[in-house]
Amino acid sequence: IEESVTLFPNPFSDQLNIIINSKADRTIRLTLTNTEGKQVFATDKELSEGENQIFINTYNLSPGLYILNINGASLSKAYPLIKLKQ
């Protein structure tokens, strides 16, 4: 099953917006890691079939490069993201 994922803005500052078009109801895990591999954010989200909007407050993160991992049944993707100075 292929899911459509949109991330914006990238680069980001205070908030990261994620839109996932899911083919079915499911639970996913979102994790954000820095370049040292340290997990700085993690949450589980329930998706319903269709468009799902997720907002992550990133105000407390330091500027730099991050990797967003989205994992669930039949879904595993990683996206590079850049956090700008506020």
Side-chain angles (χ1 to χ4, degrees):
I1 298 173
E2 184 64 29
E3 310 292 337
S4 167
V5 178
T6 304
L7 303 170
F8 65 93
N10 188 18
F12 63 94
S13 56
D14 293 351
Q15 180 172 289
L16 181 61
N17 304 299
I18 305 165
I19 298 175
I20 301 175
N21 283 308
S22 182
K23 304 288 185 194
D25 294 349
R26 69 179 67 214
T27 301
I28 60 164
R29 180 146 184 93
L30 300 170
T31 57
L32 201 57
T33 55
N34 62 20
T35 53
E36 290 84 41
K38 181 181 176 188
Q39 184 174 294
V40 295
F41 174 84
T43 188
D44 293 326
K45 294 288 184 181
E46 294 290 329
L47 300 182
S48 46
E49 186 175 350
E51 185 175 287
N52 297 268
Q53 294 188 5
I54 302 166
F55 304 100
I56 299 175
N57 181 348
T58 57
Y59 183 79
N60 61 338
L61 297 179
S62 300
L65 178 64
Y66 293 88
I67 303 295
L68 175 69
N69 289 291
I70 303 174
N71 295 294
S74 74
L75 175 64
S76 181
K77 295 187 177 191
Y79 300 91
L81 300 168
I82 296 172
K83 161 81 182 215
L84 297 176
K85 291 181 182 177
Q86 295 154 342

